[in-house]
Amino acid sequence: MHIEIEELAKEFGTERALHPVSLAIPSGALIALLGPSGSGKTTLLRILGGLEFPTSGRVLFDGSDATGLTVQERRAGFVFQHYALFKHMTVFENIAYGLRARKRRERPTEAEIGRRVNRLLDLIQLPDIGARYPSQLSGGQRQRVALARALAIEPRMLLLDEPFGALDAKVRKELRQGLRDIHDTTGLTTIFVTHDQEEAMELADLVVVMSMGRIEQVGKPAEIRARPANDFVRSFTAA
Amino acid sequence: MSDITFIRAESVTTEPRLARGLLIGGTMALIAVLLFAPLIAVFAEALRQGWAASLDALASPDARSAIRLTLIVAAIAVPLNAVFGIAAAWAITKFDFRGKAFLITLIDLPFSVSPVVAGLALVLLFGAHSTMGAWLIANDLKIVFAFPGIVLATMFVTFPFVARELIPVMIEQGRAEEEVALTLGASGWRVFFTVTLPNIRWALLYGVLLCNARAMGEFGAVAVISGKIRGETTTMPIMIEMLYNEYLSVAAFSLAAVLALLALVTLTLKSLLEWRHADVLAATRRH
């Protein structure tokens, strides 16, 4: 699914989180929203997922207006910064949640739910943890379960908020490749938020550099490195 | 002598033996005098003329109606306050809106206002001298000096318990799990029943138990609004006071013992649940 963002702005009270920004995201791309805290990258991600609504501007999914779609209608697989796994449910139930939440007519049978959850557990390479609770998992395992849970709803896009932020350096490197692989397998348009320029440059097809609620530059990692649009981009990506 | 004798066994946070002994002993003595002795005294006084006399006193129509009324009032007020408490805590912790701080203060109002004042306020609001009261009387709806008034007064006094217990827990948990559930396609109600409620169930249970204990024991507000009509609007605490004032001490203390027992059952239930689910509590509760 390709996504277009037209003059999107967001105000919280008197504070401007997002100045009117425009962006076109090609179908199947892996995009990084890169910027320091307060740059508006998470706000933009949450607007795409339907968790916030813009003050003005439009969002188009495959060319049709999606600005007013509810969070449920968007079918965006969302991975939160600290994963927000349901503590009182097993890993299996966490992943099955979105399937069970479907309307009766669209809900898969119990056997089908089981098959899909197991397939997702294979995909994240953790086939044997279905019966465990989130508190019994490591940080990296939690992140992958959150990813599987988001994928279970057969999302139209994948949105990840600082997906590697809470992990140590070694696990981070491994999971980067994991996300790349999953993106390549599923072909989903994937957008992730990060403040780590190395992570953005290494993983993304296209990097969107943001600061103070504005988009400073959009480009392939090599382009941004070679021709930073301004001083902010130069200093931020040089770090 | 080896050096081992000089190694202190206590941890750094432990006080010297004397201070420890004084603190623990003092606390125990205070609990014994202030909490335990009065409780024993109530039961001793109730059984002063034997079991038969106590049971006779409890079998009297007045006592039975008081017990029934108290249980019915609690059975209505507690579930309603549980629902309102959840709604208030939900509104305060999951949404941002103007006047939120004011609302939080308002929830605490019943704790700071004397129950007698609360009872008087309700009489003023719903009594014969107010516009609303006149309308109610014209339509044959009795609130003051009747059952609805007692329920209202009880609800007013016990309102904060559930909300107060839930707000810190819900603030700590934040909104992320609910937001995830929404992105996975769940409706608002489904999110509430499958995510929010399981996360707050222990706090909710504590709140409900405390609310229940207070609802059954409420005296001041109910005394004002019930009009103390014997056998009709007398709850257990009111009946106890009336019997005591009439020098019917066995009857008064028998009823008091029943009320104390109900409170003890509540406390036992709470301890039992804590003990049975200690592992879950340790994992989910940090305060």
Side-chain angles (χ1 to χ4, degrees):
Chain A
M1 186 180 69
H2 67 92
I3 302 168
E4 275 146 277
I5 294 162
E6 291 178 354
E7 296 294 309
L8 207 64
K10 176 71 183 172
E11 286 163 22
F12 293 104
T14 54
E15 220 163 300
R16 283 215 125 162
L18 218 51
H19 290 267
V21 294
S22 298
L23 182 66
I25 297 168
S27 187
L30 180 54
I31 306 279
L33 300 180
L34 172 67
S37 56
S39 60
K41 56 194 193 302
T42 296
T43 305
L44 183 54
L45 192 78
R46 288 173 61 87
I47 291 175
L48 288 176
L51 292 168
E52 308 273 359
F53 286 93
T55 315
S56 61
R58 293 206 303 163
V59 178
L60 303 172
F61 291 168
D62 276 339
S64 66
D65 194 340
T67 319
L69 286 187
T70 63
V71 53
Q72 291 96 342
E73 288 164 342
R74 301 217 175 192
R75 285 211 357 255
F78 210 112
V79 176
F80 280 70
Q81 191 170 4
H82 299 288
Y83 323 130
L85 295 177
F86 305 127
K87 293 186 279 294
H88 59 288
M89 293 180 203
T90 60
V91 167
F92 184 98
E93 287 303 321
N94 264 280
I95 298 174
Y97 189 89
L99 296 173
R100 293 196 200 287
R102 285 188 184 170
K103 289 193 192 71
R104 196 174 295 270
R105 261 180 298 118
E106 299 156 26
R107 198 181 304 157
T109 61
E110 204 52 36
E112 176 63 17
I113 290 177
R115 264 197 299 280
R116 290 203 201 179
V117 171
N118 285 326
R119 209 158 53 217
L120 285 162
L121 285 170
D122 286 340
L123 182 71
I124 60 169
Q125 294 167 14
L126 294 169
D128 304 319
I129 61 159
R132 290 204 216 156
Y133 282 89
S135 59
Q136 300 166 307
L137 303 180
S138 70
Q141 289 173 329
R142 283 179 205 179
Q143 196 255 19
R144 285 188 274 171
V145 171
L147 194 57
R149 181 176 65 177
L151 289 169
I153 61 167
E154 299 167 303
R156 297 204 281 171
M157 61 189 147
L158 205 49
L159 307 174
L160 306 100
D161 188 4
E162 297 277 3
F164 312 107
L167 303 168
D168 61 60
K170 183 171 166 287
V171 181
R172 201 182 287 204
K173 285 245 160 68
E174 285 169 22
L175 289 189
R176 255 185 228 171
Q177 192 52 46
L179 179 62
R180 181 82 233 182
D181 292 345
I182 282 171
H183 169 264
D184 294 347
T185 324
T186 59
L188 284 167
T189 311
T190 303
I191 304 168
F192 72 97
V193 155
T194 181
H195 62 269
D196 180 345
Q197 60 88 19
E198 190 201 321
E199 191 170 287
M201 297 297 185
E202 190 182 304
L203 189 54
D205 303 326
L206 209 58
V207 177
V208 178
V209 187
M210 294 184 70
S211 144
M212 315 271 284
R214 288 192 174 81
I215 291 178
E216 302 287 351
Q217 190 173 3
V218 182
K220 295 206 169 79
E223 282 170 20
I224 290 178
R225 280 243 167 80
R227 288 182 295 279
N230 54 37
D231 285 346
F232 172 80
V233 177
R234 184 177 300 114
S235 67
F236 194 72
T237 53
Chain B
M1 285 289 271
S2 70
D3 290 350
I4 288 167
T5 32
F6 297 105
I7 293 174
R8 293 180 52 139
E10 300 96 338
S11 73
V12 282
T13 50
T14 298
E15 302 297 328
R17 193 177 287 265
L18 182 68
R20 228 182 336 155
L22 275 175
L23 274 171
I24 296 173
T27 312
M28 287 298 191
L30 206 66
I31 287 176
V33 172
L34 283 180
L35 301 180
F36 204 58
L39 205 59
I40 297 294
V42 167
F43 285 102
E45 193 62 28
L47 296 173
R48 197 162 46 105
Q49 291 172 16
W51 282 95
S54 298
L55 290 177
D56 273 354
L58 290 177
S60 78
D62 285 354
R64 287 206 332 231
S65 113
I67 294 172
R68 197 183 314 123
L69 182 61
T70 293
L71 292 178
I72 293 173
V73 168
I76 295 173
V78 173
L80 282 176
N81 266 348
V83 172
F84 291 150
I86 291 171
W90 178 281
I92 283 170
T93 53
K94 309 283 172 182
F95 304 119
D96 295 312
F97 55 92
R98 242 175 244 265
K100 191 157 143 175
F102 181 64
L103 186 64
I104 296 176
T105 316
L106 216 57
I107 286 177
D108 277 340
L109 192 69
F111 276 166
S112 47
V113 170
S114 160
V116 177
V117 177
L120 276 174
L122 288 174
V123 170
L124 276 179
L125 198 62
F126 297 111
H129 299 292
S130 75
T131 328
M132 200 187 330
W135 182 86
L136 288 168
I137 289 166
N139 288 281
D140 207 25
L141 293 167
K142 276 197 194 149
I143 289 189
V144 171
F145 306 146
F147 179 71
I150 300 174
V151 173
L152 275 178
T154 306
M155 283 183 64
F156 179 92
V157 174
T158 60
F159 182 76
F161 286 100
V162 173
R164 269 282 132 199
E165 194 68 35
L166 292 185
I167 288 169
V169 177
M170 288 171 84
I171 286 176
E172 190 194 303
Q173 282 170 349
R175 306 174 194 180
E177 283 186 45
E178 274 95 359
E179 286 181 341
V180 167
L182 290 173
T183 65
L184 295 172
S187 66
W189 283 110
R190 191 180 176 87
V191 173
F192 177 75
F193 284 111
T194 58
V195 177
T196 311
L197 205 56
N199 274 336
I200 60 169
R201 61 188 169 197
W202 293 109
L204 180 64
L205 193 70
Y206 282 0
V208 165
L209 287 175
L210 286 175
C211 180
N212 183 53
R214 187 78 171 82
M216 292 192 301
E218 174 50 24
F219 178 81
V222 173
V224 176
I225 203 163
S226 70
K228 299 189 185 176
I229 307 165
R230 205 181 184 106
E232 273 184 49
T233 65
T234 41
T235 60
M236 287 172 78
I238 310 280
M239 199 65 228
I240 292 165
E241 197 228 8
M242 287 168 81
L243 291 168
Y244 182 72
N245 286 343
E246 291 157 12
Y247 302 105
L248 298 166
S249 71
V250 169
F253 283 105
S254 300
L255 204 52
V258 173
L259 191 54
L261 269 180
L262 286 174
L264 287 178
V265 167
T266 308
L267 277 181
T268 313
L269 214 62
K270 174 174 170 278
S271 311
L272 203 68
L273 286 166
E274 273 177 0
W275 171 69
R276 287 260 332 242
H277 300 276
D279 45 341
V280 187
L281 284 173
T284 55
R285 248 176 99 95
R286 283 188 292 270
H287 66 99

